[in-house]
Amino acid sequence: MAFYLSPQIAVVERDLSNYVAGISTSIGVYVGRATKGPVWQKTNVTNERSFTDLFGTPTESTYEDFFTVTSFLTYGNSLYFTRVVDKTAAKNSYIGIEGSSAALSAAASPSQPLSGTYIEYHNAEEIFNSGGTIYSQSFSGSLSASSIVFAAKYPGAYGNDDIKVAVVNYATYQNIASTTLSGYATNIDDAPESSDEFIVFVLVKNPDATYSIAETFKCSTTENKKDSFGTNMYVETLINTSSQYILAFHNTSASYLYPKSFIETSLTGGHDGADNDGATDSGSLRQTGYSLYANPEEIDVNIIIGGANTATAVASAIISLCESRKDCIGVLDVPKSDVVNVS
């Protein structure tokens, strides 16, 4: 080994063209179905728990996508997942609360999925429509009597069973301790103080089929009204910026602008939407999903995962994506029909 009397610069050239980063440091991409969660977004997940919390557990229609993602996350710690749905068929669960009786209005349903961020779809006219006619802010049609409409934050049938909403209005709260609603009373830290104020409870289904209170909001139908801490209490602003489960839309043209009595009810009308499975057809939705990652300047990725996306068109799209980006590899699988139950 040589020794130098003064600092030297050593130049070493190494060919990295055949180098693939270890999976623990690689960033993956996968496009597929899920029972819930944001749609058509590039969502980063770092472990199986974070993926399950946001996108749900496996079902008969999503298990291949679920286990593709979780298998990668067993060894890796960063994956971008895009949940795809048919925008013309997927629906958010919802419930309309009539100001006069807190009754259920269920004749109309949201037909456009929410993107997962209230900012893009915070106006009612962008969500509710019937027969191609978009609802106005007046909530015309069967929702015209609804003072407030609650909708699941994400599209999918999961909201029909997994989420309930309970509303305790000002009048109900005055006698809550002497009613069967006393269980809610213990979860109210800041009581409604006027007729325009009410408490919204979001209940989430447990594995044993019971429901637990996941979120509590003290709301008002008066825009820009603040609580004692300076927090905006307006039902749309508070819930749409804070809830992990629901969105709220206030019908300012309703006869009654606030709930008049107590209600506890499930959401309804949610639908997963028709979805190409990527294996037995063209998988056009999934091709579109992978195209979201075309710009290498936006997100660094190392591995584009095919997984259950074995349709020729989807596989070709993944190959083209890798060739275009020039900074990642594609990992493709063979169709299940070629290897399962084949003698």
Side-chain angles (χ1 to χ4, degrees):
M1 179 176 179
F3 293 92
Y4 300 96
L5 298 178
S6 61
Q8 304 290 317
I9 297 176
V11 179
V12 178
E13 294 185 5
R14 292 179 179 173
D15 183 5
L16 299 179
S17 60
N18 295 320
Y19 173 76
V20 177
I23 192 169
S24 62
T25 58
S26 294
I27 303 173
V29 167
Y30 186 70
V31 174
R33 289 175 295 181
T35 57
K36 62 178 183 178
V39 298
W40 297 109
Q41 293 189 26
K42 301 183 286 287
T43 305
N44 184 255
V45 290
T46 57
N47 53 58
E48 183 176 344
R49 177 62 181 270
S50 65
F51 178 75
T52 303
D53 288 345
L54 187 56
F55 291 100
T57 54
T59 65
E60 288 188 6
S61 60
T62 66
Y63 72 92
E64 291 183 344
D65 296 316
F66 178 90
F67 288 114
T68 297
V69 171
T70 55
S71 293
F72 179 89
L73 292 174
T74 300
Y75 303 96
N77 54 25
S78 182
L79 178 138
Y80 285 93
F81 177 74
T82 295
R83 179 191 175 200
V84 295
V85 299
D86 185 340
K87 293 182 179 180
T88 63
K91 298 179 181 180
N92 296 71
S93 304
Y94 75 104
I95 196 72
I97 306 298
E98 291 186 1
S100 58
S101 62
L104 169 66
S105 299
S109 60
S111 65
Q112 286 185 290
L114 305 184
S115 72
T117 167
Y118 82 97
I119 295 174
E120 294 183 26
Y121 290 92
H122 69 290
N123 292 320
E125 62 265 32
E126 295 184 37
I127 296 178
F128 300 100
N129 69 66
S130 175
T133 302
I134 295 180
Y135 275 84
S136 66
Q137 280 284 27
S138 64
F139 289 75
S140 59
S142 61
L143 289 175
S144 61
S146 299
S147 61
I148 302 172
V149 171
F150 295 107
K153 189 171 184 178
Y154 306 116
Y158 80 98
N160 301 339
D161 186 51
D162 287 1
I163 300 174
K164 284 186 176 183
V165 172
V167 177
V168 176
N169 67 322
Y170 174 73
T172 301
Y173 181 78
Q174 304 310 303
N175 301 305
I176 196 170
S178 60
T179 70
T180 56
L181 306 178
S182 57
Y184 283 108
T186 59
N187 290 279
I188 298 177
D189 296 324
D190 193 4
E193 300 172 356
S194 57
S195 60
D196 67 323
E197 296 182 5
F198 51 95
I199 308 296
V200 175
F201 294 97
V202 181
L203 295 85
V204 178
K205 192 174 185 178
N206 300 314
D208 62 358
T210 61
Y211 288 83
S212 297
I213 297 174
E215 297 176 335
T216 304
F217 302 99
K218 179 184 178 181
C219 305
S220 171
T221 52
T222 301
E223 293 190 44
N224 297 317
K225 186 172 185 177
K226 304 293 197 300
D227 63 14
S228 58
F229 298 100
T231 302
N232 195 327
M233 297 170 57
Y234 183 50
V235 61
E236 285 192 12
T237 303
L238 179 59
I239 289 182
N240 294 350
T241 57
S242 304
S243 178
Q244 299 298 310
Y245 301 96
I246 64 171
L247 296 174
F249 304 93
H250 181 214
N251 181 7
T252 57
S253 298
S255 300
Y256 296 90
L257 297 182
Y258 48 86
K260 298 286 285 185
S261 62
F262 170 80
I263 184 173
E264 177 188 301
T265 181
S266 300
L267 304 184
T268 186
H271 196 278
D272 294 324
D275 177 29
N276 297 326
D277 63 14
T280 60
D281 51 40
S282 63
S284 59
L285 296 179
R286 299 182 185 233
Q287 291 181 62
T288 302
Y290 280 112
S291 70
L292 298 177
Y293 299 89
N295 186 356
E297 302 301 324
E298 283 187 351
I299 296 178
D300 289 329
V301 300
N302 307 112
I303 303 175
I304 309 296
I305 304 169
N309 302 316
T310 57
T312 301
V314 182
S316 297
I318 293 174
I319 293 172
S320 297
L321 177 61
C322 294
E323 292 176 341
S324 174
R325 288 183 58 103
K326 297 183 174 63
D327 64 350
C328 57
I329 63 171
V331 179
L332 305 177
D333 206 343
V334 297
K336 185 168 64 175
S337 59
D338 289 350
V339 293
V340 177
N341 295 326
V342 176
S343 57

